[in-house]
Amino acid sequence: AAAAAAAARASERQAAQGRMGRILVLYHSITGCVEQMAELVAEGAREIPGMEVRLRSCDEATHEDVRWADGLAVGTPTNLGGIAWRMKQWWDEFAAENWNKVDGKIATVFSSQGGHGGGAELTCQAMATVLLNFGFLTFGITDYVSKIHTLHYGACVAKQPRNENDKAVCRRLGLRLAEWIAYFVDMRRGMHPLLTTKAADQAKAAGTVKPDATAEDLPKPVHVVVVKDVPLENQEKWLKMAEELAMNTWRERGCLQYNFVRSGDTDNRFIITEQWSSRACLEDHFNTEHFKRLIPAMDDISTTVSLDICSDALGRRQQLPQPQAGETKPKKSVLIYTTALDYVHGSLPAAAAFFSKLCVEKGFEPVVSDSPALLEGPDAPEFDVIVFVNNSGELFDPAKSVLQK
């Protein structure tokens, strides 16, 4: 009962803040190898819609970045079979004021080594031990990204991630962390790995999709948007059935989103937004006992204004081309600022996810945040572009040096 109450409070807190899960990719890199891994880990984490991702080196990261995050992916070079001294120093300094205050975050690790068998798995285990000392929840990954490449203890590569298998283990690490954040923090029950990436891997192994299938070959997500008018006198009964329907639907295979929101303009209008991993999963939903029992009863006391079954208009995020020798990587940074202290519009997570995806496609580095610390004070980071998304309330302290750079 206590765990259920805590989960309910966490869900309510997420809804009130108008945000989805937050991930910090923290790394130390001297030669650039771990930095390249970190970029791929962040790329994998952003595969989950709405996930907020910060990419920070030890020299850039602040202690607030860790406190802000729901989950962390921590990367270090393998130095003499262990953690790089700079990474260890960072956590030693963090412990002074934060130990026993950040328990419960979900964490994973990655490392670059000088060559195969150079100790990266030992380093990953040592790094995980440091994170366990802060009460973080670490996990293993059972997936194989090829017949002989896996990441049970974390993502490990020799030097830089130079081939597709190296890149795949890094992306899978970030994706798995984001899936667990979506499942445990955002309460998106359809995002369990057994229903998403592992199901896709099993489909490849079973031959239901070709072994060299790409994301484009896998079943496409399906979106459903339903607009309903519910008379005031029927709303209590209708919402009670909606709650039961939602609770059962979240447990279904392939359910990625299933939300009921009330219109801000009309007291009797509700919008239902759904996302399913495939049309087959949606059709299975239509045949469930709770759908057949509850939907007709809800329809009897409401009016359907519109019902649309849609596909993704933007498609999956395109992979960015790797810079050629002599080229300079894009350095443009974009702050997508989502503070909403008064009215929180239901489209806020989707809008932030859209701008984040667009920035990645254009070669920019997005930072999605509702922290005013990123705008206040002389030590605030510099951004090339700031996008204000559906903000409300006092966005920052006007007495501080805001937007002076």
Side-chain angles (χ1 to χ4, degrees):
R9 288 194 297 271
S11 181
E12 292 170 359
R13 184 172 65 254
Q14 293 286 341
Q17 292 175 340
R19 68 170 180 86
M20 303 302 281
R22 295 168 165 177
I23 290 176
L24 170 65
V25 180
L26 175 67
Y27 68 93
H28 172 59
S29 185
I30 298 176
T31 64
C33 296
V34 178
E35 180 181 10
Q36 291 181 43
M37 294 182 71
E39 291 170 350
L40 292 165
V41 171
E43 185 178 299
R46 292 189 181 108
E47 289 289 337
I48 300 301
M51 200 62 58
E52 301 181 29
V53 181
R54 287 183 183 176
L55 179 62
R56 299 282 191 272
S57 70
C58 283
D59 295 329
E60 300 167 330
T62 66
H63 295 174
E64 176 58 30
D65 286 322
V66 175
R67 293 190 290 267
W68 166 88
D70 300 307
L72 296 88
V74 181
T76 174
T78 295
N79 288 353
L80 301 176
I83 303 169
W85 74 269
R86 179 67 184 94
M87 177 61 75
K88 180 61 166 59
Q89 179 191 43
W90 198 94
W91 288 101
D92 288 343
E93 294 170 348
F94 179 80
E97 295 183 358
N98 296 282
W99 187 79
N100 206 31
K101 297 179 181 179
V102 289
D103 301 57
K105 298 181 185 294
I106 302 175
T108 189
V109 292
F110 57 99
S111 183
S112 168
Q113 57 195 333
H116 295 298
E121 289 187 339
L122 294 173
T123 300
C124 284
Q125 290 182 303
M127 190 69 250
T129 299
V130 171
L131 301 178
L132 287 170
N133 274 269
F134 289 94
F136 293 173
L137 311 176
T138 62
F139 58 90
I141 300 178
T142 56
D143 307 25
Y144 279 75
V145 300
S146 76
K147 289 185 178 180
I148 59 172
H149 289 83
T150 186
L151 55 158
H152 295 337
Y153 309 102
C156 301
V157 304
K159 295 184 170 61
Q160 66 186 27
R162 63 187 74 237
N163 58 54
E164 287 307 313
N165 290 325
D166 288 345
K167 295 174 183 178
V169 296
C170 295
R171 292 191 187 104
R172 181 60 62 95
L173 185 85
L175 175 59
R176 181 53 44 80
L177 175 61
E179 287 174 323
W180 286 132
I181 294 296
Y183 183 80
F184 286 112
V185 177
D186 299 340
M187 307 301 288
R188 295 155 71 180
R189 292 312 191 195
M191 294 307 299
H192 194 291
L194 290 175
L195 303 177
T196 54
T197 48
K198 293 186 74 65
D201 290 345
Q202 291 167 5
K204 289 183 181 180
T208 54
V209 297
K210 58 185 180 181
D212 59 345
T214 66
E216 293 303 314
D217 298 308
L218 297 175
K220 303 297 187 296
V222 178
H223 303 257
V224 181
V225 180
V226 184
V227 179
K228 303 282 289 187
D229 281 347
V230 185
L232 293 176
E233 63 271 18
N234 294 339
Q235 286 186 12
E236 182 177 356
K237 181 179 181 181
W238 190 86
L239 286 170
K240 184 176 181 180
M241 290 188 286
E243 182 178 11
E244 181 183 353
L245 178 64
M247 289 181 63
N248 283 285
T249 302
W250 270 115
R251 300 187 178 99
E252 290 183 41
R253 179 182 67 90
C255 178
L256 306 180
Q257 296 273 356
Y258 199 81
N259 299 313
F260 285 76
V261 296
R262 186 192 296 268
S263 170
D265 300 323
T266 307
D267 289 340
N268 67 332
R269 178 152 294 181
F270 294 82
I271 299 95
I272 307 162
T273 59
E274 309 174 30
Q275 183 181 359
W276 297 86
S277 59
S278 68
R279 183 171 288 272
C281 292
L282 175 60
E283 292 174 354
D284 289 343
H285 168 62
F286 293 153
N287 291 317
T288 58
E289 183 275 337
H290 48 270
F291 182 92
K292 292 181 177 179
R293 173 171 53 85
L294 293 169
I295 290 297
M298 295 171 70
D299 287 346
D300 284 344
I301 57 174
S302 63
T303 301
T304 301
V305 178
S306 64
L307 188 157
D308 292 303
I309 298 179
C310 321
S311 59
D312 190 351
L314 297 179
R316 292 178 66 86
R317 178 171 51 79
Q318 298 176 353
Q319 300 296 330
L320 294 178
Q322 295 298 315
Q324 301 299 316
E327 291 184 349
T328 302
K329 292 190 295 185
K331 296 297 183 181
K332 299 291 187 181
S333 61
V334 180
L335 172 61
I336 302 168
Y337 194 54
T338 59
T339 287
L341 300 179
D342 294 334
Y343 176 71
V344 180
H345 196 281
S347 68
L348 180 57
F354 167 76
F355 284 114
S356 179
K357 180 186 291 187
L358 181 64
C359 288
V360 172
E361 290 174 352
K362 299 300 182 182
F364 299 155
E365 180 183 345
V367 175
V368 181
S369 178
D370 60 3
S371 173
L374 295 179
L375 295 175
E376 298 174 352
D379 297 326
E382 293 188 18
F383 294 96
D384 297 290
V385 179
I386 300 177
V387 181
F388 293 91
V389 182
N390 289 347
N391 305 119
S392 64
E394 188 173 278
L395 305 187
F396 38 70
D397 186 349
K400 297 184 177 179
S401 301
V402 178
L403 305 180
Q404 295 298 310
K405 296 184 179 181

